[in-house]
Amino acid sequence: MVETVKNGQGTLVYEAVGLKKHYDGGKVAALRGVDLQIRQGEFVAIVGPSGCGKSTLLQMLGSLATASEGVLNYRGQSIADMADPSEYRAHEIGFVFQSFHLLPTFTVAENVQIPMFEGGSSRAQRIERATELLRSVGLEHRLTHFPSELSGGERQRVAIARGLANKPTVVLADEPTGNLDSVNAKQIIELLLKLHRDLGVTLVLVTHDLAIADLATRTIRMKDGRVISDSGVTPPTDSP
Amino acid sequence: MTFFTIVVRGLIRRPVRTGLTLVGISIGIAAVVALVGMAWGYEKSIEKQLDVIGVDLLVSNMSAGIMPKVFDEKIQEKIAKLPHVAETTSVLMQLLSIEDAPMMMVSGREWGGFTWNKLKIVEGRMPKDGSEQAVVLGTLAAEVLKKKVGDTVQVETSELAVVGIVDGGAVVENGAIILPISVMQEATGNQGRINFVDIRLTPNTPKQTVEELGKQIQVIFPEGRARDASEVVSANQGFRIARAMSWSTSLLAIVVGVLGVMNTMLMTVFERTHEIGILLAVGWKRRRIVYMVLCESALLGFLGGVTGVTLGALGLKILEFTPAIRGLLEPDLSPKLMLISVAIAVVVGVISGLYPAWRSSRLSPSLAIHG
Ligand SMILES: Nc1ncnc2c1ncn2[C@@H]1O[C@H](COP(=O)(O)OP(=O)(O)OP(=O)(O)O)[C@@H](O)[C@H]1O
Ligand SMILES: [Mg+2]
């Protein structure tokens, strides 16, 4: 079922209705019913106190975790019903995590190439694309270094390059600056802003930093597994 | 970087563990190579011996033991009269402990028969006649016994003179003590008895006629059977036991190998929960992760197989020169055996990887990479 909803602000990318997530057989409720719409080209910042369910929501958007209840669609298609969510993860989205999650036994260039194995490109194409991506994050001189030889900011730039490996339309970033000092954090945020601006990538960013949230086109506040405020210009409408 | 690079990287990240696992597999495979190589070599040596001597059919009673039972030498005369039989010669051959050597082939041969023809004198001479109390030694037998022309050798009850050293063209021949049959019969108390009749057929005897001949021999000698070289090998109990033992020991080695590789791969998978989670998060299909784990364990098996074959080949070479074995058999290190062994190792790798691969495919990416 592909159903693209259009209004003045572009195609609907994500739509969540009554999204819930329980852990430990219902003892922990991480999400208690989230309704949400995210459109093409938005830069959405998600803020809220620790443990309110931000990471859980982001993982569900990225099909890394499944909903206990409710509906979550990506471009009109239920993520839970995707025949092959790895296809979606490989080609539609790019992840950026707080703790980078690079593979320690692979070089910078190799880390960026890892997702491309799902893309059917040749070895030469992979190398070329990885080099190009690393140049765009200013790391073309560190191709053969291992992650342990890099600073935190540099590692996060590698992770961003990796997230872009298969030209995703959505980037999901979970506190990408959480482990960085302010100088490096600024660089990373500028990089993400550039992606959003120049490539038109839809950016969903979880952060604690309100200054960063201010840069977003929209801020969603969460508390106790619920959305408590949404600066989205148009309030969600049920039918046109 | 290719997929293969990723597979290799998975193995070399833990060099010690990978190395130990390799040692484990290669010892197993080396055992397979050495044992099966010996069993096959045993068979091949006999086939080659019969071929060198020029025996087409061999009549014996193989109902018991490693060496056939003795029977009355008159049977030979009857067989000689059958059609298509060009030549016959009688043999009394036994595996005996000779002085310091635990097991030696001692072959008493009808004097003047064709079994003497292919022996080339290296030193000394042949026995003067069929009753001289003398032996010739194959070159390997001479080495094993440390005997020269002019020495004597004790064969059961007789002390016999070593009059010559011969080259028989096959390891089993060279490992044997060869003497006139009547001398052998006397030494072993088997007067009038033999345990082989070697037959040469008229050239180009059709296969069907050979079978017919076999039936006629059966009439003359109901307990015995005429066999060609390959049948001799497969009918012999000793060969069968050697074969069964080598394969069952090999099986044990393989089971140990499987457990070793499985353990290593399981540890690898558990240790790499986090990494596998990352791979899933960046879009790797579960199938690709399963394939990666299987490739790693297959590669482990392959490398273990190659080292194992090398070790096994070395072992066989050493065995070949062990006095106890020397001259009895020529280990068979055929390309076939090497290929089979490496293939076994790869299969061991893949089988051992199945469960770990399955486990890896069940990992949840969100648990692996929270935060
Ligand atoms: N695998 C899990 N098992 C049990 N409980 C979990 C699991 N993952 C998350 N939770 C719980 O769900 C709730 C939401 O967690 P989540 O990680 O989404 O919070 P968060 O908003 O990202 O917090 P932070 O800002 O500290 O990262 C928390 O109470 C957390 O303990
Ligand atoms: Mg979080």
Side-chain angles (χ1 to χ4, degrees):
Chain A
M1 182 187 69
V2 176
E3 155 208 322
T4 46
V5 182
K6 284 225 170 202
N7 67 10
Q9 303 184 328
T11 316
L12 197 54
V13 178
Y14 288 109
E15 181 174 38
V17 182
L19 199 60
K20 292 188 184 170
K21 177 72 182 178
H22 311 296
Y23 286 109
D24 297 333
K27 269 184 260 161
V28 182
L31 292 185
R32 301 162 187 264
V34 169
D35 299 302
L36 188 67
Q37 291 188 335
I38 296 174
R39 291 171 194 282
Q40 180 88 47
E42 278 192 290
F43 172 2
V44 179
I46 302 178
V47 296
S50 180
C52 70
K54 307 181 296 292
S55 296
T56 303
L57 177 61
L58 206 69
Q59 292 211 335
M60 287 167 70
L61 294 180
S63 82
L64 294 183
T66 50
S68 310
E69 247 178 84
V71 178
L72 178 59
N73 288 346
Y74 173 75
R75 294 185 194 276
Q77 197 199 347
S78 161
I79 290 180
D81 296 341
M82 280 178 181
D84 188 357
S86 68
E87 194 82 14
Y88 161 72
R89 291 198 288 261
H91 299 288
E92 302 292 326
I93 60 173
F95 264 112
V96 181
F97 303 96
Q98 175 173 358
S99 42
F100 325 128
H101 290 321
L102 297 175
L103 299 175
T105 50
F106 293 88
T107 64
V108 163
E110 287 166 347
N111 263 285
V112 177
Q113 288 175 56
I114 293 277
M116 300 181 200
F117 283 89
E118 290 297 341
S121 47
S122 71
R123 181 170 170 268
Q125 286 168 326
R126 288 196 293 269
I127 293 173
E128 196 190 311
R129 172 113 181 105
T131 313
E132 178 195 314
L133 283 165
L134 285 162
R135 186 178 303 122
S136 73
V137 299
L139 287 174
E140 67 271 31
H141 55 297
R142 309 301 296 267
L143 298 180
T144 57
H145 288 199
F146 285 90
S148 58
E149 298 166 332
L150 266 52
S151 75
E154 287 167 333
R155 287 183 212 182
Q156 196 59 300
R157 283 188 272 157
V158 176
I160 292 173
R162 178 183 64 185
L164 298 175
N166 292 334
K167 304 194 168 109
T169 58
V170 176
V171 167
L172 305 173
D174 193 350
E175 301 194 37
T177 58
N179 282 353
L180 303 178
D181 60 48
S182 58
V183 177
N184 275 304
K186 194 158 171 272
Q187 267 189 346
I188 293 298
I189 290 304
E190 271 163 15
L191 200 55
L192 290 172
L193 275 173
K194 204 173 105 199
L195 290 179
H196 173 243
R197 214 175 40 233
D198 299 352
L199 302 176
V201 164
T202 307
L203 183 57
V204 183
L205 184 142
V206 169
T207 184
H208 273 125
D209 188 335
L210 295 180
I212 293 172
D214 277 349
L215 299 170
T217 55
R218 175 178 162 197
T219 303
I220 294 175
R221 282 174 196 285
M222 288 180 68
K223 198 181 173 192
D224 291 336
R226 289 199 179 86
V227 174
I228 52 163
S229 82
D230 186 341
S231 75
V233 193
T234 37
T237 45
D238 287 336
S239 48
Chain B
M1 181 177 64
T2 61
F3 186 72
F4 187 68
T5 320
I6 298 178
V7 169
V8 172
R9 212 62 72 79
L11 287 182
I12 58 180
R13 74 173 64 207
R14 294 269 183 214
V16 175
R17 187 166 68 204
T18 301
L20 286 175
T21 312
L22 280 180
V23 169
I25 311 171
S26 48
I27 288 175
I29 292 297
V32 173
V33 170
L35 290 166
V36 178
M38 295 246 291
W40 286 9
Y42 194 23
E43 295 170 21
K44 217 178 73 178
S45 309
I46 300 294
E47 282 185 30
K48 192 170 165 200
Q49 180 194 29
L50 297 176
D51 194 49
V52 166
I53 299 173
V55 177
D56 291 322
L57 283 178
L58 204 67
V59 179
S60 63
N61 174 2
M62 287 229 187
S63 59
I66 293 181
M67 276 294 148
K69 275 191 180 155
V70 292
F71 54 87
D72 193 325
E73 63 186 2
K74 292 204 182 68
I75 287 172
Q76 183 200 355
E77 287 161 39
K78 294 181 193 161
I79 291 172
K81 292 194 187 98
L82 294 173
H84 298 284
V85 174
E87 239 181 299
T88 63
T89 182
S90 55
V91 173
L92 175 62
M93 182 155 76
Q94 301 200 310
L95 274 172
L96 298 175
S97 166
I98 302 293
E99 298 179 4
D100 290 340
M103 285 268 247
M104 293 210 81
M105 200 75 94
V106 185
S107 173
R109 297 174 179 188
E110 182 182 346
W111 184 247
F114 63 81
T115 45
W116 289 93
N117 296 350
K118 286 284 153 58
L119 302 177
K120 280 198 223 80
I121 283 288
V122 177
E123 233 186 293
R125 59 170 176 85
M126 286 293 183
K128 279 202 293 285
D129 53 45
S131 57
E132 186 182 0
Q133 296 292 304
V135 300
V136 292
L137 300 178
T139 46
L140 285 172
E143 263 180 60
V144 171
L145 291 169
K146 301 189 185 72
K147 298 280 185 191
K148 306 184 296 291
V149 173
D151 293 345
T152 60
V153 60
Q154 188 73 34
V155 176
E156 302 289 273
T157 58
S158 305
E159 189 177 2
L160 305 172
V162 176
V163 295
I165 310 279
V166 295
D167 177 4
V171 169
V172 180
E173 285 284 271
N174 288 342
I177 299 176
I178 301 166
L179 66 170
I181 194 164
S182 54
V183 179
M184 175 70 172
Q185 287 168 333
E186 203 186 308
T188 57
N190 277 311
Q191 281 85 351
R193 286 163 191 279
I194 59 178
N195 63 355
F196 287 103
V197 177
D198 293 1
I199 300 175
R200 253 185 197 180
L201 300 171
T202 50
N204 306 323
T205 309
K207 212 171 145 42
Q208 223 177 331
T209 318
V210 177
E211 278 169 29
E212 189 54 39
L213 183 62
K215 283 182 198 140
Q216 288 168 309
I217 291 171
Q218 191 97 60
V219 174
I220 296 171
F221 179 25
E223 305 84 44
R225 265 199 65 188
R227 296 184 170 93
D228 65 22
S230 63
E231 285 174 322
V232 166
V233 165
S234 54
N236 184 300
Q237 232 180 350
F239 295 133
R240 285 211 298 262
I241 292 170
R243 215 179 242 256
M245 278 193 20
S246 64
W247 280 115
S248 51
T249 312
S250 300
L251 197 69
L252 200 71
I254 288 165
V255 169
V256 172
V258 166
L259 292 177
V261 179
M262 197 181 292
N263 181 50
T264 299
M265 293 313 298
L266 267 180
M267 282 177 71
T268 305
V269 168
F270 290 151
E271 266 174 18
R272 273 196 274 171
T273 306
H274 176 69
E275 233 184 275
I276 291 170
I278 297 173
L279 292 174
L280 287 169
V282 301
W284 271 38
K285 291 189 174 27
R286 289 184 188 272
R287 211 184 321 131
R288 189 179 300 275
I289 289 167
V290 166
Y291 186 57
M292 175 183 80
V293 173
L294 283 180
C295 282
E296 266 183 42
S297 64
L299 181 63
L300 207 51
F302 175 76
L303 294 175
V306 171
T307 356
V309 165
T310 315
L311 280 177
L314 270 170
L316 276 182
K317 276 281 160 236
I318 293 168
L319 282 176
E320 198 175 340
F321 290 98
T322 305
I325 284 164
R326 203 151 178 212
L328 282 179
L329 62 93
E330 182 176 26
D332 179 32
L333 191 65
S334 56
K336 184 178 155 202
L337 176 59
M338 299 203 228
L339 273 177
I340 289 180
S341 306
V342 173
I344 288 176
V346 172
V347 171
V348 163
V350 171
I351 290 176
S352 325
L354 287 176
Y355 177 64
W358 180 77
R359 290 295 298 252
S360 75
S361 77
R362 309 254 310 165
L363 287 173
S364 141
S366 70
L367 281 183
I369 51 166
H370 209 74

